[in-house]
Amino acid sequence: MSMNRRRFINLSGLGITGFTISGFTNPSHVMDQKPIVISTWDAGLNANKGAWEVLSKGGTALDAVEKGVMVTEDEISCCVGLGANPDRDGHVTLDASIMDHEFNCGSVAFLERIKHPISVARKVMEKTPHVMLVGEGAQQFAIAEGFTLESEKLSDDAQNAYQNWLKKSTYKPIINIERSNKPNAQLEDKYKAPTRFDNGDWNHDTIGMVALDMHGNLSGSCTTSGAGFKMRGRVGDSPIIGAGLFVDNEVGAVVATGQGEDVIRVAGASAVVEYMRQGKSPQEACKLVVEKIRRIKKEKAAAIQVCFIALNKKGEHGSFALHNGFNYAVQSEQGSNLIESPFSV
Ligand code: SD4
């Protein structure tokens, strides 16, 4: 199934009650909502369904955020798992992280040929004295834990994109800058856009998810192929605890998407949590960190996208992005929503 068709089904065929596409509302006012799960981009609609199966039965946020993003890792037509665009040497390399309500965390980076990096990250957290395993060592650990070593073959879409990219081989990764600056009313048109440009035009490579369970505990997860045609060995923010993902069960949980290098340099997710600790709403907290990145990057901010989503202990949520075009999915007892994020420039 083509990506365009898949995105259309996301919008029309999920059978989720209460589905809406929201505008620039501030959803943070909804208090004491639990359980609840939020996740990045429209792929989050499906992923949230996976998480909701766990949360709605009283399961833990940790199980929910693992199961949720596994849905996206399974979608071979998606840019998150093994179906993703390769690095510039033609290999798909994956990063993932997970964190629970007690500061337990695990991550993998530069992992190849494993379908569910998020589950390997969880095993790192639960079965090793370490937080992070990378590359060959991460793969060896995964195999020892019973994960299957998958084929190296690229998906058809990724193979086409790579062949196109090889024609110019320009090394200019652009992450998450959207093709259109149209307002949310034009979302459906946006979904008709091709999704695997070799120039980064539509380039969602990540799903990040944070959840609050009915016991009042928070957890988060993030899984990604990083950036199409990246340098071999490049690792982004997603597997770096405190940058791409951070959970403090006293305060809130935050996950990032966008240009990972710029999330890392401000310890992004951790910074958002600290602003929430000081009393900022999830949206305000995300905004403060995005604005800091904008100040640091100056005119270069025009060429990057950075986005955060945040959930606090009360179930209030919010987001902020550098540029237009970012959205996030929410699932609670109120139903399922896709929310267009406020943005800076
Ligand atoms: C990275 N933050 O590796 C990821 C990329 C991303 O949608 O979010 N893509 O830098």
Side-chain angles (χ1 to χ4, degrees), residues 112-142:
E112 293 177 84
R113 299 176 61 187
I114 300 289
K115 197 172 187 181
H116 288 298
I118 196 63
S119 301
V120 186
R122 183 162 177 180
K123 294 269 187 222
V124 172
M125 170 173 109
E126 291 178 340
K127 293 203 155 179
T128 79
H130 308 302
V131 165
M132 189 170 196
L133 290 180
V134 304
E136 208 185 312
Q139 192 189 67
Q140 274 169 11
F141 170 73

Short mmCIF file of all heavy atoms in Angstrom, two decimals, residues 112-142:
data_model
loop_
_atom_site.label_atom_id
_atom_site.label_comp_id
_atom_site.label_asym_id
_atom_site.label_seq_id
_atom_site.Cartn_x
_atom_site.Cartn_y
_atom_site.Cartn_z
N GLU A 112 21.07 -2.10 13.47
CA GLU A 112 20.66 -2.53 12.13
C GLU A 112 19.94 -3.87 12.18
O GLU A 112 20.24 -4.73 13.00
CB GLU A 112 21.90 -2.66 11.24
CG GLU A 112 22.55 -1.31 10.97
CD GLU A 112 23.82 -1.44 10.14
OE1 GLU A 112 23.73 -1.50 8.92
OE2 GLU A 112 24.90 -1.49 10.74
N ARG A 113 19.00 -4.04 11.24
CA ARG A 113 18.35 -5.33 10.94
C ARG A 113 17.52 -5.90 12.09
O ARG A 113 17.33 -7.10 12.19
CB ARG A 113 19.39 -6.35 10.46
CG ARG A 113 20.08 -5.89 9.19
CD ARG A 113 21.17 -6.84 8.77
NE ARG A 113 20.65 -8.18 8.49
CZ ARG A 113 21.43 -9.23 8.23
NH1 ARG A 113 22.76 -9.10 8.21
NH2 ARG A 113 20.90 -10.40 7.99
N ILE A 114 17.05 -5.05 12.97
CA ILE A 114 16.17 -5.50 14.05
C ILE A 114 14.85 -4.73 13.93
O ILE A 114 14.86 -3.50 13.83
CB ILE A 114 16.80 -5.27 15.45
CG1 ILE A 114 18.13 -6.03 15.58
CG2 ILE A 114 15.82 -5.64 16.56
CD1 ILE A 114 18.04 -7.54 15.69
N LYS A 115 13.75 -5.46 13.92
CA LYS A 115 12.46 -4.85 13.61
C LYS A 115 11.94 -3.93 14.71
O LYS A 115 11.27 -2.94 14.43
CB LYS A 115 11.45 -5.98 13.37
CG LYS A 115 10.20 -5.56 12.66
CD LYS A 115 9.39 -6.79 12.32
CE LYS A 115 8.21 -6.44 11.45
NZ LYS A 115 7.42 -7.63 11.14
N HIS A 116 12.19 -4.30 15.95
CA HIS A 116 11.61 -3.51 17.05
C HIS A 116 12.69 -2.96 18.00
O HIS A 116 12.86 -3.45 19.13
CB HIS A 116 10.59 -4.35 17.83
CG HIS A 116 9.33 -4.59 17.06
ND1 HIS A 116 8.50 -3.56 16.65
CD2 HIS A 116 8.77 -5.73 16.60
CE1 HIS A 116 7.48 -4.05 15.97
NE2 HIS A 116 7.61 -5.36 15.92
N PRO A 117 13.37 -1.92 17.56
CA PRO A 117 14.39 -1.31 18.42
C PRO A 117 13.84 -0.90 19.79
O PRO A 117 14.56 -0.96 20.79
CB PRO A 117 14.84 -0.07 17.64
CG PRO A 117 14.41 -0.30 16.24
CD PRO A 117 13.27 -1.25 16.26
N ILE A 118 12.57 -0.50 19.84
CA ILE A 118 12.02 -0.06 21.13
C ILE A 118 12.04 -1.19 22.16
O ILE A 118 12.29 -0.97 23.35
CB ILE A 118 10.59 0.54 20.98
CG1 ILE A 118 10.20 1.33 22.22
CG2 ILE A 118 9.55 -0.53 20.67
CD1 ILE A 118 11.05 2.53 22.50
N SER A 119 11.80 -2.42 21.67
CA SER A 119 11.78 -3.55 22.61
C SER A 119 13.19 -3.93 23.04
O SER A 119 13.40 -4.41 24.16
CB SER A 119 11.07 -4.75 21.97
OG SER A 119 9.76 -4.37 21.62
N VAL A 120 14.16 -3.69 22.14
CA VAL A 120 15.55 -3.92 22.54
C VAL A 120 15.94 -2.88 23.59
O VAL A 120 16.59 -3.19 24.60
CB VAL A 120 16.50 -3.85 21.32
CG1 VAL A 120 17.92 -4.23 21.75
CG2 VAL A 120 16.03 -4.76 20.19
N ALA A 121 15.50 -1.64 23.39
CA ALA A 121 15.78 -0.58 24.38
C ALA A 121 15.21 -0.97 25.74
O ALA A 121 15.85 -0.78 26.78
CB ALA A 121 15.19 0.75 23.91
N ARG A 122 14.02 -1.53 25.73
CA ARG A 122 13.40 -1.94 27.01
C ARG A 122 14.21 -3.06 27.66
O ARG A 122 14.38 -3.09 28.89
CB ARG A 122 11.96 -2.37 26.78
CG ARG A 122 11.29 -2.73 28.10
CD ARG A 122 9.80 -2.76 28.05
NE ARG A 122 9.28 -3.18 29.35
CZ ARG A 122 8.01 -3.31 29.62
NH1 ARG A 122 7.09 -3.05 28.69
NH2 ARG A 122 7.61 -3.70 30.82
N LYS A 123 14.71 -3.97 26.83
CA LYS A 123 15.55 -5.06 27.39
C LYS A 123 16.86 -4.49 27.95
O LYS A 123 17.35 -4.97 28.97
CB LYS A 123 15.89 -6.09 26.31
CG LYS A 123 14.70 -6.85 25.79
CD LYS A 123 14.48 -8.12 26.57
CE LYS A 123 13.39 -8.95 25.92
NZ LYS A 123 12.46 -9.55 26.84
N VAL A 124 17.43 -3.49 27.28
CA VAL A 124 18.64 -2.85 27.82
C VAL A 124 18.32 -2.31 29.21
O VAL A 124 19.09 -2.48 30.17
CB VAL A 124 19.15 -1.73 26.89
CG1 VAL A 124 20.27 -0.93 27.56
CG2 VAL A 124 19.61 -2.29 25.56
N MET A 125 17.17 -1.67 29.32
CA MET A 125 16.75 -1.09 30.60
C MET A 125 16.56 -2.16 31.67
O MET A 125 16.99 -1.99 32.81
CB MET A 125 15.44 -0.32 30.38
CG MET A 125 14.74 0.16 31.62
SD MET A 125 13.33 1.20 31.20
CE MET A 125 11.99 0.14 31.64
N GLU A 126 15.93 -3.26 31.28
CA GLU A 126 15.52 -4.24 32.30
C GLU A 126 16.55 -5.32 32.57
O GLU A 126 16.55 -5.92 33.63
CB GLU A 126 14.18 -4.87 31.88
CG GLU A 126 13.04 -3.85 31.96
CD GLU A 126 11.69 -4.38 31.51
OE1 GLU A 126 11.66 -5.41 30.78
OE2 GLU A 126 10.68 -3.76 31.87
N LYS A 127 17.42 -5.58 31.56
CA LYS A 127 18.28 -6.76 31.72
C LYS A 127 19.75 -6.45 31.78
O LYS A 127 20.56 -7.37 31.88
CB LYS A 127 18.01 -7.72 30.56
CG LYS A 127 16.63 -8.31 30.58
CD LYS A 127 16.66 -9.60 29.81
CE LYS A 127 15.57 -10.54 30.25
NZ LYS A 127 15.61 -11.77 29.47
N THR A 128 20.14 -5.20 31.66
CA THR A 128 21.57 -4.88 31.72
C THR A 128 21.79 -3.79 32.78
O THR A 128 20.86 -3.08 33.15
CB THR A 128 22.11 -4.33 30.36
OG1 THR A 128 21.73 -2.96 30.23
CG2 THR A 128 21.60 -5.11 29.17
N PRO A 129 23.03 -3.65 33.21
CA PRO A 129 23.32 -2.56 34.15
C PRO A 129 23.53 -1.23 33.42
O PRO A 129 23.91 -0.24 34.02
CB PRO A 129 24.62 -3.01 34.81
CG PRO A 129 25.27 -3.94 33.85
CD PRO A 129 24.20 -4.53 32.98
N HIS A 130 23.28 -1.20 32.10
CA HIS A 130 23.59 -0.02 31.28
C HIS A 130 22.33 0.71 30.86
O HIS A 130 21.21 0.22 31.02
CB HIS A 130 24.37 -0.46 30.04
CG HIS A 130 25.56 -1.30 30.38
ND1 HIS A 130 26.56 -0.86 31.21
CD2 HIS A 130 25.89 -2.57 30.04
CE1 HIS A 130 27.46 -1.81 31.36
NE2 HIS A 130 27.08 -2.86 30.66
N VAL A 131 22.53 1.88 30.29
CA VAL A 131 21.41 2.64 29.73
C VAL A 131 21.40 2.53 28.21
O VAL A 131 20.34 2.50 27.59
CB VAL A 131 21.50 4.12 30.17
CG1 VAL A 131 20.59 5.01 29.33
CG2 VAL A 131 21.12 4.26 31.65
N MET A 132 22.56 2.44 27.59
CA MET A 132 22.61 2.57 26.13
C MET A 132 23.55 1.54 25.51
O MET A 132 24.68 1.37 25.98
CB MET A 132 23.11 3.98 25.80
CG MET A 132 23.03 4.35 24.36
SD MET A 132 23.40 6.12 24.23
CE MET A 132 22.79 6.42 22.60
N LEU A 133 23.08 0.87 24.46
CA LEU A 133 23.94 0.01 23.66
C LEU A 133 23.86 0.48 22.21
O LEU A 133 22.79 0.87 21.74
CB LEU A 133 23.49 -1.46 23.74
CG LEU A 133 23.69 -2.19 25.07
CD1 LEU A 133 23.18 -3.63 24.98
CD2 LEU A 133 25.16 -2.18 25.52
N VAL A 134 24.99 0.40 21.50
CA VAL A 134 25.00 0.90 20.12
C VAL A 134 25.55 -0.14 19.15
O VAL A 134 26.29 -1.04 19.54
CB VAL A 134 25.82 2.20 19.97
CG1 VAL A 134 25.32 3.27 20.93
CG2 VAL A 134 27.30 1.96 20.18
N GLY A 135 25.18 0.03 17.89
CA GLY A 135 25.76 -0.68 16.76
C GLY A 135 25.78 -2.19 16.91
O GLY A 135 24.79 -2.81 17.28
N GLU A 136 26.96 -2.73 16.60
CA GLU A 136 27.13 -4.18 16.60
C GLU A 136 26.80 -4.80 17.96
O GLU A 136 26.17 -5.85 18.06
CB GLU A 136 28.59 -4.47 16.25
CG GLU A 136 28.82 -5.79 15.57
CD GLU A 136 30.33 -6.00 15.39
OE1 GLU A 136 31.02 -5.07 14.91
OE2 GLU A 136 30.79 -7.10 15.74
N GLY A 137 27.22 -4.11 19.01
CA GLY A 137 26.96 -4.63 20.36
C GLY A 137 25.47 -4.68 20.67
O GLY A 137 24.97 -5.63 21.28
N ALA A 138 24.76 -3.66 20.23
CA ALA A 138 23.31 -3.63 20.45
C ALA A 138 22.65 -4.76 19.66
O ALA A 138 21.73 -5.43 20.15
CB ALA A 138 22.75 -2.28 20.00
N GLN A 139 23.16 -4.98 18.45
CA GLN A 139 22.59 -6.05 17.62
C GLN A 139 22.87 -7.43 18.24
O GLN A 139 21.99 -8.29 18.31
CB GLN A 139 23.16 -5.97 16.21
CG GLN A 139 22.41 -6.84 15.22
CD GLN A 139 23.14 -6.90 13.89
OE1 GLN A 139 24.24 -7.45 13.80
NE2 GLN A 139 22.54 -6.31 12.87
N GLN A 140 24.09 -7.62 18.71
CA GLN A 140 24.44 -8.89 19.37
C GLN A 140 23.54 -9.14 20.57
O GLN A 140 23.05 -10.24 20.80
CB GLN A 140 25.89 -8.86 19.86
CG GLN A 140 26.90 -9.25 18.81
CD GLN A 140 28.33 -8.94 19.28
OE1 GLN A 140 28.57 -8.61 20.44
NE2 GLN A 140 29.26 -9.02 18.35
N PHE A 141 23.35 -8.09 21.36
CA PHE A 141 22.49 -8.21 22.54
C PHE A 141 21.06 -8.58 22.12
O PHE A 141 20.44 -9.46 22.72
CB PHE A 141 22.50 -6.88 23.30
CG PHE A 141 21.49 -6.78 24.41
CD1 PHE A 141 21.67 -7.50 25.59
CD2 PHE A 141 20.37 -5.98 24.27
CE1 PHE A 141 20.72 -7.42 26.62
CE2 PHE A 141 19.42 -5.89 25.29
CZ PHE A 141 19.60 -6.62 26.46
N ALA A 142 20.58 -7.93 21.07
CA ALA A 142 19.21 -8.20 20.60
C ALA A 142 19.08 -9.67 20.19
O ALA A 142 18.12 -10.36 20.57
CB ALA A 142 18.86 -7.27 19.44
#
